[in-house]
Amino acid sequence: MSELMRDPAAIERLRTALEKAQYTVDGCLEAMGATAYAALGRNESVAASYAVAEDDSPVATLTKLFVLQEDVNRDAAAAALPLEDAMAGGLVAEDRTDGTVRALVDIRPYGESDVDWWLVSDLGAGLVTGRNAPMRPDYVLGVGGASTTLAQLTVRENVESALDVGTGCGVQALHLSRHARRVTATDLNLRALDFARLTAALSLGPLEGERIELRGGSLFEPVEDERFDLIVSNPPFVISPESAAGQGRFTYRDAGLPGDELCRRFLEQAPRHLAEGGYCHVLANWLHVAGQDWRERLAPWIRGTGCDAWVVQRELQDPAEYAELWLRDSGDHNSPRYIERYQAYLDYFAANRIEGVAFGWIILHNSGAELPTIRLEELTRQIDQPLGAHVPEWFARHEFLTDTDDEQLLGAALSVAPGVVLEQSAQIEDGGWEPAATRLRQTGGLRASGEIDPVGIAVVGAADGTRPLGDLLDAIAGQFGIEPATLRSGALDAVRALIEEGFLTLS
């Protein structure tokens, strides 16, 4: 395919047409209905196609053309968008034999609550349309679950500079443009940069879109000695037999490196490009190897960054689940080579004693601390999104605990964090209700919960931010008949744990 639409005037005409047609997230939802829209999110197009089949409105026409990959009548297409511009710009093609128009790319409504954007990518390979073409090696992916996770995880504080490593169609760069004065986006796939350029111009306007500087190259090669206040990356982290052999099939997901080597290299290089006080967010897959705890494998990589780090394992898949996921992603579940490729995954995992593959996130914070805070944990429970607003709080309370000795902690005034509730359960014993468990639970954010004893309940209940912790413990010691010095020394570890998990906060 030749270079995508570049003429600023043509881009502005297309942008205006999409807005006029109400070809937005809300507009598409209204046109096809909630049920069909949800099915489309599962890559099932039948319900959506059925919902808009008899609708000849511009939004329905654009949905059929770009989202559902259906041929549409030329006159209907011309009524919905500047057709000549779209054909000249490589977005659609006309079949003169039957007077229909088909999409050459996917232009997908996307955005935040107060803004409408459009992502330009290759036509979806996983969409159930019955006419999917094989994916090309330089395929450009649209927005997916990983993209959404990263966008929701990212800290959204105003910064001077931000870097999107492996930008793909440009979705993370769009988000960064809202709170970074300067945005740089890189990708090894030069074709992806062409899509990202049009995504930015179409979403932000041709002139404003130029604020996102696009550079070609692998990982941090395009930025050399530059530093950024914020780095985000949804890199090609997929672990596959092809990558292990140095022959990744698809640039957007296969780095051509064995195992989870991409994760190690990213962590090795990222700190050199992270400004003091800056955050780096990266999604990754890492291996579970027989006989070795995953934390032990990753810990040396994390310590080597010299940064505070929060590593979270969100999901673990066995070899079969993992193979099936990525074979569906590339449309291979409909391929005659499906069994062969599936078996290649299983052979690779067995030969390397791989018991599972984890998906998670790694957040680095360049705090400059002499003893960086490092935490590697499994967190599979439901959490509230977006989580980005809670990330600075997480690092701040861990920094506080590292920098605060016991005497200083006893002098601190603590409060119960917002959204914390106390839950008690009971069970029938001997004809009456007997307390069974008492737990603290967060109703938002990370939604942590944990059991707590009566003394802990008293401590949390009295933490109103008006008294030093030491005075509060002395008063509670009297209530329970405990020596104040004993409670002071015995309770500090529990109080630290309550602060670490976000149940108590510094007033």
Side-chain angles (χ1 to χ4, degrees):
M1 186 181 74
S2 59
E3 193 174 62
L4 296 174
M5 181 183 287
R6 295 197 72 95
D7 178 18
I11 293 172
E12 190 58 46
R13 286 191 291 269
L14 177 58
R15 172 182 164 86
T16 299
L18 299 180
E19 290 176 336
K20 183 179 179 182
Q22 298 182 39
Y23 185 57
T24 62
V25 173
D26 290 342
C28 288
L29 175 59
E30 183 177 353
M32 67 181 70
T35 298
Y37 192 86
L40 196 61
R42 302 188 297 270
N43 274 344
E44 291 288 347
S45 65
V46 177
S49 181
Y50 180 83
V52 297
E54 304 301 322
D55 188 347
D56 59 359
S57 67
V59 65
T61 297
L62 294 172
T63 299
K64 295 172 189 177
L65 182 63
F66 291 116
V67 177
L68 303 177
Q69 304 175 24
E70 297 177 359
D71 295 347
V72 301
N73 177 272
R74 188 189 195 284
D75 291 340
L81 79 166
L83 187 56
E84 296 300 327
D85 288 337
M87 289 193 293
L91 308 182
V92 301
E94 180 183 11
D95 186 339
R96 296 186 181 276
T97 62
D98 62 5
T100 61
V101 173
R102 62 183 176 87
L104 299 177
V105 299
D106 185 322
I107 300 179
R108 186 71 56 108
Y110 180 77
E112 296 186 332
S113 59
D114 59 342
V115 65
D116 292 314
W117 292 327
W118 295 273
L119 303 180
V120 187
S121 65
D122 273 317
L123 295 170
L127 192 65
V128 181
T129 62
R131 52 176 269 182
N132 296 333
M135 288 172 58
R136 51 190 291 168
D138 56 359
Y139 180 86
V140 179
L141 184 69
V143 67
S147 304
T148 303
T149 296
L150 181 58
Q152 294 174 328
L153 182 64
T154 300
V155 174
R156 296 300 174 191
E157 297 174 346
N158 291 332
V159 295
E160 174 67 20
S161 60
L163 173 65
D164 176 14
V165 179
T167 192
C169 71
V171 57
Q172 304 303 329
L174 283 181
H175 286 286
L176 294 174
S177 71
R178 303 201 74 188
H179 61 103
R181 194 186 69 82
R182 178 170 58 88
V183 178
T184 302
T186 70
D187 206 293
L188 177 65
N189 183 359
L190 300 184
R191 188 165 172 269
L193 295 180
D194 194 29
F195 280 83
R197 172 193 55 76
L198 184 53
T199 287
L202 197 56
S203 297
L204 306 178
L207 293 179
E208 186 67 12
E210 293 180 1
R211 278 204 310 114
I212 299 176
E213 183 182 1
L214 301 169
R215 303 184 193 177
S218 177
L219 291 180
F220 295 94
E221 289 176 358
V223 294
E224 297 181 353
D225 298 325
E226 297 177 61
R227 288 180 175 265
F228 299 85
D229 301 307
L230 178 61
I231 298 173
V232 301
S233 184
N234 178 18
F237 54 67
V238 176
I239 296 165
S240 68
E242 294 90 358
S243 276
Q247 301 172 347
R249 289 176 64 201
F250 306 110
T251 307
Y252 78 90
R253 72 178 203 186
D254 302 319
L257 297 171
D260 46 19
E261 174 65 9
L262 174 75
C263 179
R264 189 198 68 79
R265 290 193 188 184
F266 188 97
L267 293 171
E268 179 183 59
Q269 298 175 24
R272 297 197 298 270
H273 303 278
L274 190 59
E276 185 175 351
Y279 288 94
C280 173
H281 305 261
V282 59
L283 302 184
N285 280 173
W286 52 80
L287 298 176
H288 280 230
V289 179
Q292 189 173 15
D293 187 276
W294 69 270
R295 298 169 186 82
E296 295 177 356
R297 291 192 68 253
L298 266 63
W301 307 350
I302 302 300
R303 286 195 295 269
T305 67
C307 296
D308 296 332
W310 184 20
V311 182
V312 174
Q313 178 172 293
R314 288 291 285 158
E315 183 181 3
L316 177 64
Q317 292 187 326
D318 64 40
E321 290 176 307
Y322 193 78
E324 291 160 13
L325 170 66
W326 294 110
L327 290 172
R328 283 195 305 270
D329 175 79
S330 58
D332 283 311
H333 57 303
N334 294 320
S335 165
R337 298 189 63 188
Y338 178 69
I339 295 177
E340 173 192 345
R341 285 179 169 146
Y342 197 143
Q343 290 176 337
Y345 270 94
L346 299 181
D347 288 343
Y348 171 68
F349 289 145
N352 290 277
R353 303 171 58 242
I354 298 168
E355 297 180 332
V357 182
F359 174 84
W361 74 62
I362 300 170
I363 304 177
L364 305 179
H365 180 221
N366 186 9
S367 68
E370 292 185 12
L371 294 174
T373 295
I374 296 175
R375 181 166 176 172
L376 297 90
E377 63 177 328
E378 182 178 1
L379 198 167
T380 57
R381 65 178 178 264
Q382 179 185 352
I383 60 177
D384 277 1
Q385 294 286 12
L387 193 66
H390 300 277
V391 170
E393 300 169 6
W394 188 95
F395 281 97
R397 62 177 180 261
H398 282 76
E399 182 179 353
F400 168 77
L401 291 170
T402 300
D403 295 343
T404 304
D405 62 26
D406 287 351
E407 197 60 36
Q408 292 171 322
L409 182 58
L410 288 169
L414 303 176
S415 299
V416 180
V420 173
V421 297
L422 182 70
E423 296 179 335
Q424 294 180 311
S425 62
Q427 60 188 20
I428 293 290
E429 287 187 10
D430 298 326
W433 290 102
E434 292 293 331
T438 304
R439 303 180 67 85
L440 284 181
R441 181 173 64 85
Q442 296 167 349
T443 58
L446 289 170
R447 293 186 172 272
S449 68
E451 292 193 10
I452 188 167
D453 63 22
V455 175
I457 293 172
V459 172
V460 173
D464 59 4
T466 63
R467 293 184 285 176
L469 175 62
D471 292 351
L472 185 152
L473 291 176
D474 291 346
I476 291 173
Q479 297 173 19
F480 285 85
I482 304 172
E483 284 293 326
T486 300
L487 184 58
R488 282 188 173 219
S489 62
L492 285 178
D493 284 347
V495 170
R496 286 182 178 275
L498 289 169
I499 296 171
E500 184 177 37
E501 296 301 329
F503 293 112
L504 291 177
T505 184
L506 190 66
S507 297

